[in-house]
Amino acid sequence: MMTYEKKILISLVLIWGFLSLFSGCSLTTIDNKRAMFLYQDGILLSSKGDFDGALEKFNASIRISEENGFADGVAHNYNEIGNIYTYKNKFDIAREYYQKALSIYEEKNMAPEVSKSMDNIAKTYLRQGDYVRTLEQYETLLSWDKASGNRLGAGITNYNMALICEKYTMAHEKAKQYYQDALDIFLSLDKEKEALEAQKGIQRMTF
């Protein structure tokens, strides 16, 4: 499962996407730039463990983004707030923010972000030890990946479900099938490293 620190690194990369969205907008204003920098400040504060300070920055960025009709920016901030509450083990609140982000991403047809939000929601259930809901959420994500043509995402989701079935629910036949589905996708995409891990999973499930 991805650590909070790795999420921070990914978020820092996403800053550049956030910056480009602002700079590409014909209505770039001082307020838009303020929202951008507030978001960036929130990411940096999160990486340092100052979550209260980060929340202040994210919420301020949300207010400005809403005033300027910048829905993408609102969603990115919601996602980061969800990450903070996940780290704090406040999973119900985290899911509320992930769901808010997800709704915007779906409306804007931002397929990679939709997948990310669904994955984040699934991981809140996993950290709670609610494996049934984790798998249900991953099934929803898998359907989305297939519908949106995200084949690599579908492979990764199958692999994640296999791990859950193997490690937590002991549903070894299901795990084996998920590993096989993941393997088929990884092989078709020439993802050798991922395919090898799926093969190892199948071997573990073969008695």
Side-chain angles (χ1 to χ4, degrees), residues 18-92:
F18 194 60
L19 288 168
S20 64
L21 287 169
F22 273 110
S23 61
C25 178
S26 61
L27 297 178
T28 300
T29 62
I30 293 176
D31 279 347
N32 285 342
K33 291 178 182 179
R34 283 182 58 217
M36 174 188 68
F37 289 120
L38 285 166
Y39 174 82
Q40 184 176 1
D41 287 345
I43 293 289
L44 293 175
L45 288 171
S46 290
S47 70
K48 297 176 181 179
D50 184 358
F51 301 124
D52 290 338
L55 287 173
E56 289 183 9
K57 299 294 184 180
F58 291 138
N59 283 315
S61 182
I62 287 171
R63 287 193 294 272
I64 295 172
S65 296
E66 287 178 335
E67 290 171 0
N68 290 307
F70 188 65
D72 299 28
V74 174
H76 295 332
N77 280 288
Y78 281 154
N79 184 73
E80 296 305 323
I81 293 174
N83 288 342
I84 288 175
Y85 282 113
T86 297
Y87 184 78
K88 288 184 170 186
N89 294 330
K90 296 183 178 181
F91 301 114
D92 289 340

Side-chain angles (χ1 to χ4, degrees), residues 6 12 16 18 32 44 61 87 101 104 116 119 131 146 164 166-167 170 177 201:
K6 288 183 179 179
L12 288 170
W16 294 109
F18 194 60
N32 285 342
L44 293 175
S61 182
Y87 184 78
I104 295 173
K116 176 183 67 178
D119 183 64
Y131 307 121
K146 289 179 179 178
I164 293 168
E166 177 184 358
K167 293 184 177 182
M170 305 304 171
Q177 184 59 58

Side-chain angles (χ1 to χ4, degrees), residues 33-206:
K33 291 178 182 179
R34 283 182 58 217
M36 174 188 68
F37 289 120
L38 285 166
Y39 174 82
Q40 184 176 1
D41 287 345
I43 293 289
L44 293 175
L45 288 171
S46 290
S47 70
K48 297 176 181 179
D50 184 358
F51 301 124
D52 290 338
L55 287 173
E56 289 183 9
K57 299 294 184 180
F58 291 138
N59 283 315
S61 182
I62 287 171
R63 287 193 294 272
I64 295 172
S65 296
E66 287 178 335
E67 290 171 0
N68 290 307
F70 188 65
D72 299 28
V74 174
H76 295 332
N77 280 288
Y78 281 154
N79 184 73
E80 296 305 323
I81 293 174
N83 288 342
I84 288 175
Y85 282 113
T86 297
Y87 184 78
K88 288 184 170 186
N89 294 330
K90 296 183 178 181
F91 301 114
D92 289 340
I93 299 175
R95 280 191 290 270
E96 289 178 10
Y97 280 98
Y98 286 141
Q99 189 61 54
K100 288 179 179 180
L102 175 60
S103 296
I104 295 173
Y105 290 144
E106 286 179 327
E107 182 179 347
K108 302 284 287 185
N109 197 29
M110 299 170 68
E113 287 77 11
V114 169
S115 294
K116 176 183 67 178
S117 294
M118 289 184 176
D119 183 64
N120 285 339
I121 293 170
K123 286 174 179 174
T124 63
Y125 288 120
L126 180 59
R127 288 188 60 173
Q128 281 184 290
D130 190 339
Y131 307 121
V132 172
R133 289 190 179 182
T134 303
L135 289 170
E136 289 176 350
Q137 185 62 37
Y138 272 132
E139 287 286 0
T140 300
L141 173 55
L142 182 60
S143 297
W144 166 261
D145 285 334
K146 289 179 179 178
S148 62
N150 183 9
R151 298 189 66 231
L152 178 58
I156 293 171
T157 302
N158 271 301
Y159 184 82
N160 286 338
M161 289 192 292
L163 285 175
I164 293 168
C165 289
E166 177 184 358
K167 293 184 177 182
Y168 301 114
T169 68
M170 305 304 171
H172 292 156
E173 286 301 317
K174 285 187 177 180
K176 185 177 181 180
Q177 184 59 58
Y178 285 134
Y179 279 130
Q180 184 63 58
D181 291 343
L183 175 61
D184 292 342
I185 293 172
F186 292 147
L187 288 174
S188 71
L189 297 174
D190 294 323
K191 296 293 183 179
E192 295 181 1
K193 181 179 179 181
E194 291 82 356
L196 178 60
E197 292 303 315
Q199 286 176 328
K200 290 179 180 178
I202 293 171
Q203 292 172 355
R204 290 196 300 271
M205 295 300 97
T206 302

